[in-house]
Amino acid sequence: MSNALTLGNGSLLVNIGSFGEVRDLYFPYAGFENHVGGRLCHQVGVFADGRLSWLADPEWHLTVESEDDTLAGKILAVNQSLGVSLLLTDLVYNEKNIFLRRVVVKNLRDDSSRSLKIFFHHQFEPYESHVAHTAYFDPTQRAVIHYRNRRVFLINGTFEGKPFDDYSTGVFGAEGKEGTHKDAEDGRLAKNNIEHGRVDSVIGLEAELAPLEEKILYYWLTVGESISEVAELNNYVLKLGPGHLIETTKNFWRAWINRRQFSFHGLTPSVVKLFNKSLLIIRSHVSNNGAIVASSDSNSRQSDKDTYAYVWLRDAAMAALALSGAGDVNVARLFFNFCNQTISPDGYFMHKYSPDGALGSSWHPWLGPSGELQLPIQEDGTALVLVTLWRHYEISKDLEFVETVYNSLIRRAADFMVLYRDERTGLPKPSYDLWEEKWGVSTFTAASVYGALRAAANFAHLLGKVKSENLYLETAEMMKAGILKYLFDQSRGYFCKMIKFSEREIVADLTIDCSSIYGIFTFGVLPPDDERVKQAIGLTEQVLRNRTGIGGLARYENDGYHRPAGSTHVGN
């Protein structure tokens, strides 16, 4: 099940599931480390009339949505059988690492006053590990704290201004124990004040509600690297008030989303809403060090081997460009600084990176089929950084920033692309394609390198580097000539997926791939009105069009990615 809400501030990122449960909690980067991990969850329950019901129970009807123009979630949970409704407002405070919830609790009964108790259950895996944790009740803070080494989580809350009055810690998934949430079933917790190992906790907050009365509950989770740090954050919430922090955070994101004052002429309100929501989701995936992860949803796993919480330079560069175009040039600058710090001494980027800048996991080998050495890269990832950096400069005109990264990032990457070429064709040497599947010289990669060399020449011209400018322009023209000679199939009128070299011949993969023609006009190899481009687009649309009601295009012919078994409607 995918997450319903993504909330973050650049160092704390929280994903909420469709039952109002916390499913992912990342710190200290957006996308790394995940201290809940998708396998665990922080669930919410209500005890009334002698029975407990968690929001994941079937009797609850939940509506989960984002608040318009701000990075906040709105969840309405109604249980007619229990006679209770909850309206949750969730967000991560924009200035500090605090997750906040405001819960409007309503007694739906019109004939009786009732005592309602709200339970919050927590399971953590600090450092993505399931051993050596501690959870305890801290009487000095009147809060529950989970910790392991320098990953510390403090839990607190108030109901109508009164602190929580029930709690317990325990063990789950070990020693034959299901977890402390079982202790809440009778409405009273055991107040076990410390536990270690694989631990969980529950807190309970209780209030009396008259018929049809509403009361407000606040819950918060502070995150840091020491107990003193999370305690200071807890005191910060108590001093300023959780309601105040929620409203100021909403106001910050509204100001952020509306700063460019786009006209949106001719667009419907639903399209504008989707545009703003998309920008906020992209922004939530940006760490304060500039790392932009592909996805923080741990439920979207790659064959159960890994997640998408990595920085793919190609994907991240496009996200940075989108943010620049929307007015957030500061985030894009952070991303290019991240690139400046992670690029290899030889001028290329590896497959992917963790948000802290470390090399990410990979399935690309260093040895080819015959045992020959090969560089396990996707060269389009290196190229896209330069392409989007130039477009970022066109928007920002930030010449001072360009000068700081010219030698270490721009020239280093461009010089690599000049050298990493096949002498016979002028094309790039083989690398993995953008789909991370095939080794060879793809049209998309070659076109992206052409665009990157043109961008590098623009930067060199800007800074008066005449020799480098000429080198990059000359190499780009050789690249273009090679693309038109070796990658364009004259007989069918389209650009092939890729070519592979052998000692005696060049073998073309004639698979129709939508990225091929996209790269040709996007990176300026040919203009959109060129007859070859128009013909290739027409054939690509004809062959790859999805003939079901969903529509759209397959990536390439016979693409098996997320394709239902036996389907013959897409890319055949």
Side-chain angles (χ1 to χ4, degrees):
M1 181 180 296
S2 296
N3 291 318
L5 297 169
T6 298
L7 313 167
N9 65 3
S11 58
L12 175 63
L13 190 153
V14 177
N15 288 328
I16 308 295
S18 56
F19 301 120
E21 77 281 22
V22 173
R23 297 204 63 85
D24 297 303
L25 191 150
Y26 295 93
F27 172 82
Y29 300 96
F32 181 79
E33 304 142 0
N34 192 347
H35 305 286
V36 177
R39 299 174 302 279
L40 312 179
C41 71
H42 295 187
Q43 53 186 335
V44 181
V46 177
F47 186 85
D49 300 337
R51 67 185 183 95
L52 173 67
S53 181
W54 299 102
L55 296 194
D57 294 343
E59 62 184 1
W60 287 92
H61 180 268
L62 281 87
T63 303
V64 184
E65 57 187 354
S66 301
E67 289 199 19
D68 291 349
D69 297 344
T70 191
L71 203 53
K74 182 170 62 177
I75 302 172
L76 176 62
V78 180
N79 188 328
Q80 293 291 352
S81 174
L82 199 62
V84 177
S85 72
L86 307 178
L87 179 61
L88 295 87
T89 300
D90 296 342
L91 53 74
V92 171
Y93 183 46
N94 63 294
E95 294 184 30
K96 300 178 185 291
N97 294 321
I98 307 168
F99 171 59
L100 293 147
R101 307 190 101 157
R102 177 173 61 213
V103 186
V104 179
V105 183
K106 184 173 183 178
N107 175 15
L108 298 181
R109 300 276 193 262
D110 60 4
D111 58 355
S112 60
S113 297
R114 307 163 73 202
S115 175
L116 299 180
K117 194 167 189 177
I118 315 301
F119 287 106
F120 294 89
H121 175 226
H122 319 93
Q123 298 173 326
F124 289 100
E125 287 187 338
Y127 291 107
E128 303 184 3
S129 167
H130 60 272
V131 297
H133 311 162
T134 300
Y136 73 100
F137 175 72
D138 187 331
T140 65
Q141 293 291 316
R142 287 204 52 81
V144 170
I145 294 177
H146 287 243
Y147 74 90
R148 183 186 180 192
N149 298 338
R150 295 198 173 275
R151 298 294 178 261
V152 188
F153 312 90
L154 181 148
I155 298 145
N156 205 347
T158 61
F159 203 166
E160 286 292 291
K162 296 184 296 183
F164 70 86
D165 51 8
D166 208 1
Y167 66 88
S168 199
T169 66
V171 174
F172 75 100
E175 302 173 9
K177 297 180 180 179
E178 293 185 50
T180 311
H181 65 284
K182 299 293 291 182
D183 187 26
E185 290 180 350
D186 62 357
R188 293 178 298 176
L189 298 171
K191 291 187 172 58
N192 182 37
N193 60 62
I194 191 166
E195 191 56 83
H196 76 287
R198 195 179 193 201
V199 296
D200 66 345
S201 67
V202 181
I203 66 169
L205 299 98
E206 189 172 15
E208 294 288 330
L209 278 79
L212 300 179
E213 185 179 12
E214 295 180 345
K215 288 187 176 181
I216 296 177
L217 176 156
Y218 287 104
Y219 164 96
W220 59 93
L221 170 71
T222 70
V223 184
E225 296 187 349
S226 68
I227 291 173
S228 61
E229 181 183 357
V230 297
E232 183 178 344
L233 290 172
N234 181 52
N235 292 330
Y236 182 85
V237 177
L238 292 169
K239 179 180 178 180
L240 296 183
H244 172 75
L245 301 185
I246 289 173
E247 293 309 311
T248 59
T249 301
K250 287 184 181 182
N251 291 337
F252 169 80
W253 289 116
R254 290 191 182 105
W256 182 87
I257 203 69
N258 292 308
R259 64 174 140 183
R260 279 293 294 271
Q261 297 295 314
F262 293 109
S263 68
F264 296 112
H265 178 70
L267 298 178
T268 63
S270 62
V271 172
V272 176
K273 180 179 178 180
L274 182 60
F275 173 83
N276 289 343
K277 182 178 179 180
S278 299
L279 281 180
L280 288 164
I281 291 174
I282 294 172
R283 182 63 182 86
S284 71
H285 283 69
V286 182
S287 291
N288 290 333
N289 67 341
I292 305 176
V293 297
S295 173
S296 63
D297 188 349
S298 62
N299 293 299
S300 300
R301 295 181 182 272
Q302 304 172 19
S303 304
D304 292 326
K305 292 181 179 180
D306 212 337
T307 70
Y308 286 93
Y310 292 97
V311 182
W312 276 266
L313 275 302
R314 174 203 325 105
D315 306 41
M318 299 305 291
L321 180 59
L323 291 170
S324 283
D328 198 340
V329 296
N330 294 324
V331 167
R333 188 187 304 114
L334 286 173
F335 166 71
F336 293 117
N337 270 326
F338 177 86
C339 296
N340 191 41
Q341 294 162 8
T342 54
I343 192 169
S344 74
D346 291 328
Y348 58 84
F349 293 100
M350 295 296 289
H351 182 187
K352 54 191 170 85
Y353 295 87
S354 292
D356 64 350
L359 184 62
S361 63
S362 181
W363 52 91
H364 294 165
W366 286 79
L367 293 176
S370 302
E372 72 278 12
L373 179 66
Q374 65 182 31
L375 197 57
I377 64 171
Q378 296 174 275
E379 193 177 359
D380 65 280
T382 302
L384 261 292
V385 170
L386 295 197
V387 170
T388 54
L389 179 54
W390 174 253
R391 295 178 184 173
H392 166 74
Y393 170 75
E394 290 182 308
I395 294 168
S396 67
K397 302 301 181 185
D398 192 348
L399 181 61
E400 289 82 1
F401 174 70
V402 167
E403 192 167 28
T404 64
V405 298
Y406 178 79
N407 288 319
S408 54
L409 176 61
I410 298 169
R411 190 177 72 176
R412 183 178 291 178
D415 287 350
F416 167 77
M417 287 183 278
V418 168
L419 294 172
Y420 197 68
R421 290 186 302 123
D422 176 68
E423 294 181 357
R424 290 176 292 175
T425 63
L427 293 170
K429 288 183 179 180
S431 67
Y432 281 95
D433 67 351
L434 81 161
W435 309 127
E436 307 173 283
E437 296 172 341
K438 291 196 172 185
W439 175 262
V441 183
S442 72
T443 296
F444 179 86
T445 297
S448 70
V449 172
Y450 169 83
L453 290 169
R454 297 282 304 188
N458 291 339
F459 283 121
H461 177 78
L462 194 66
L463 298 174
K465 316 286 187 181
V466 178
K467 185 176 179 180
S468 292
E469 178 188 5
N470 291 335
L471 173 63
Y472 302 149
L473 287 175
E474 291 169 5
T475 307
E477 289 307 306
M478 286 189 281
M479 189 78 59
K480 178 177 178 178
I483 291 170
L484 299 179
K485 180 177 181 179
Y486 296 101
L487 290 165
F488 183 67
D489 183 354
Q490 295 280 357
S491 63
R492 296 187 65 186
Y494 73 101
F495 291 86
C496 62
K497 182 182 180 74
M498 66 168 46
I499 59 175
K500 294 185 178 182
F501 301 140
S502 69
E503 292 184 3
R504 297 180 180 179
E505 61 180 346
I506 297 174
V507 180
D509 181 343
L510 299 179
T511 301
I512 294 178
D513 187 315
C514 66
S515 70
S516 298
I517 186 57
Y518 172 81
I520 292 296
F521 69 81
T522 296
F523 303 120
V525 178
L526 293 174
D529 59 356
D530 185 278
E531 287 301 320
R532 289 164 290 186
V533 173
K534 291 192 287 186
Q535 187 175 357
I537 289 176
L539 183 60
T540 300
E541 196 279 334
Q542 176 186 340
V543 173
L544 299 184
R545 179 165 54 90
N546 181 358
R547 293 171 177 82
T548 69
I550 297 173
L553 297 179
R555 298 184 302 175
Y556 51 81
E557 291 180 274
N558 297 310
D559 181 10
Y561 187 65
H562 283 285
R563 179 175 170 176
S567 171
T568 59
H569 297 288
V570 184
N572 287 105

